[in-house]
Amino acid sequence: VNGLMSEGQGALETEDSAVQDFLQILEEHRKNCERQGKYVEAEIAKNRLDELRQHEENRRREAMRSRQIAERLGVEEAHMLEFQQFNALWDKRMAEFEQKSADLEEAMKERHGSELMEYIRTAQQEPLRKPKFSKELLNLRQIQQTLAKQKDYAEAHKIKLKADNLEAFELEKMRNQHQMRLSNVVEKFKTKQTAEILALRKRVQTGREEQKKQRQLDLERLLQRYQNVKSELESQQNIERIRAEKFMGYHMTAKAPSQQGASRQGSSASLGGDGS
């Protein structure tokens, strides 16, 4: 803001200096005409001075108004540029966050897949537990052996077939139970991995919300900074307008009495001359 103000004032002061030099020359000409009694030429110079001063006052007002409009537009343009850069920066930052989050989840899924395959392979290599047969089957085997010792092979064969069928049934049941245990263990492992994925997504969502809050805070600071700059510029421009009006009013009123005084002196001289 100060840079804009000082730059505009510098250009205005340079131009004012040239105008004031010309007005000073014209004022000296008016005084010379007055001293030499060339009152018609002095009147022309006086009127020309009044016109030029009024024109200069209008020109200064218009120049100051145009410059102040340019200063306000400059602040607006700077703010819009900063706002665009702000959005571009935050859009990029949030896009990078989303990409990194997606990469983390993808890496975790790949790791989970490898760990799950290794876990299943290890679980499948676990040997079956030593079979624990039922009392009924053990009793049948005992009867089978007893009949065989008694050389009752026909009856022993019947009992053996019955025992073999029961043993096959119990072994199949044991294998099914073993497979069920493996499935349960694998499901528990999958559940653990799912919980890990959900925990990661929760952390990502927390980070996402924090970024949104930070972006909003930064935006509020940016807008407040813009309002502060805008208010400061308006205040300085108001002060400049007030000072300019006082300055121009002072010069206008300062010139008028001197000219009126000179006219009165001229009139008195004329009357004195007539009296003599």
Side-chain angles (χ1 to χ4, degrees):
V1 175
N2 291 331
L4 290 172
M5 296 286 289
S6 61
E7 182 179 348
Q9 289 174 348
L12 186 61
E13 289 173 358
T14 301
E15 187 174 355
D16 288 345
S17 177
V19 172
Q20 290 301 322
D21 289 344
F22 177 73
L23 290 175
Q24 184 64 33
I25 293 172
L26 190 57
E27 176 65 16
E28 291 296 329
H29 173 68
R30 183 193 66 77
K31 289 180 179 179
N32 289 332
C33 290
E34 181 182 313
R35 284 193 296 269
Q36 296 171 12
K38 298 177 180 179
Y39 300 128
V40 174
E41 293 184 15
E43 179 68 18
I44 294 173
K46 181 179 77 69
N47 292 336
R48 181 56 178 163
L49 275 170
D50 291 341
E51 291 176 1
L52 287 176
R53 288 187 181 118
Q54 186 61 48
H55 175 75
E56 176 61 12
E57 181 179 342
N58 294 336
R59 185 196 65 79
R60 285 173 60 89
R61 285 196 181 97
E62 182 59 27
M64 181 174 62
R65 189 183 72 84
S66 299
R67 177 173 52 78
Q68 289 186 346
I69 291 174
E71 289 170 355
R72 292 195 294 272
L73 288 176
V75 169
E76 292 286 345
E77 291 175 0
H79 170 66
M80 290 305 300
L81 178 60
E82 186 179 13
F83 183 69
Q84 291 172 358
Q85 292 173 343
F86 171 87
N87 283 328
L89 175 64
W90 267 104
D91 288 345
K92 180 182 178 182
R93 185 179 300 176
M94 296 184 79
E96 289 174 350
F97 174 84
E98 294 298 334
Q99 185 60 51
K100 183 177 180 181
S101 300
D103 292 343
L104 285 173
E105 182 168 336
E106 184 63 26
M108 181 176 286
K109 287 180 178 179
E110 291 180 2
R111 177 171 58 83
H112 282 177
S114 300
E115 290 177 348
L116 180 60
M117 291 179 61
E118 179 63 22
Y119 190 82
I120 293 174
R121 186 183 65 81
T122 302
Q124 288 175 343
Q125 289 177 351
E126 181 183 346
L128 290 171
R129 297 177 182 177
K130 184 178 179 180
K132 185 178 180 181
F133 297 113
S134 64
K135 291 183 179 180
E136 180 183 1
L137 177 56
L138 295 176
N139 187 45
L140 286 174
R141 292 301 185 192
Q142 185 65 38
I143 295 171
Q144 172 189 332
Q145 292 175 4
T146 302
L147 291 172
K149 290 179 181 179
Q150 295 174 354
K151 297 182 176 56
D152 189 353
Y153 299 125
E155 194 62 31
H157 179 67
K158 292 179 182 180
I159 296 299
K160 181 179 181 302
L161 291 176
K162 186 176 180 180
D164 288 345
N165 289 332
L166 181 58
E167 181 176 333
F169 172 78
E170 291 186 1
L171 286 174
E172 182 63 24
K173 183 179 179 180
M174 291 177 190
R175 282 192 291 269
N176 290 337
Q177 290 175 343
H178 177 72
Q179 189 61 40
M180 184 64 67
R181 282 195 301 271
L182 288 179
S183 298
N184 290 338
V185 169
V186 169
E187 285 303 317
K188 287 181 180 179
F189 191 79
K190 287 182 179 179
T191 300
K192 178 183 176 182
Q193 291 183 331
T194 300
E196 192 175 354
I197 285 286
L198 293 176
L200 173 62
R201 289 175 180 172
K202 185 176 181 180
R203 291 195 301 273
V204 168
Q205 182 61 27
T206 299
R208 186 179 293 117
E209 294 298 327
E210 289 177 352
Q211 279 206 333
K212 289 180 179 179
K213 290 180 181 178
Q214 188 60 50
R215 179 171 185 166
Q216 183 62 30
L217 287 174
D218 289 351
L219 176 60
E220 290 174 1
R221 292 192 189 99
L222 185 148
L223 295 177
Q224 185 60 53
R225 186 165 60 250
Y226 163 67
Q227 289 298 329
N228 293 342
V229 171
K230 186 178 178 182
S231 297
E232 181 184 357
L233 177 62
E234 290 175 353
S235 176
Q236 292 184 7
Q237 288 184 345
N238 286 333
I239 293 173
E240 182 187 18
R241 282 194 294 270
I242 293 171
R243 288 177 176 174
E245 290 296 332
K246 287 183 178 179
F247 175 80
M248 288 184 284
Y250 169 78
H251 278 272
M252 289 296 292
T253 56
K255 294 295 182 182
S258 64
Q259 292 177 8
Q260 291 174 1
S263 299
R264 282 197 297 270
Q265 291 176 0
S267 298
S268 298
S270 299
L271 290 173
D274 292 341
S276 62

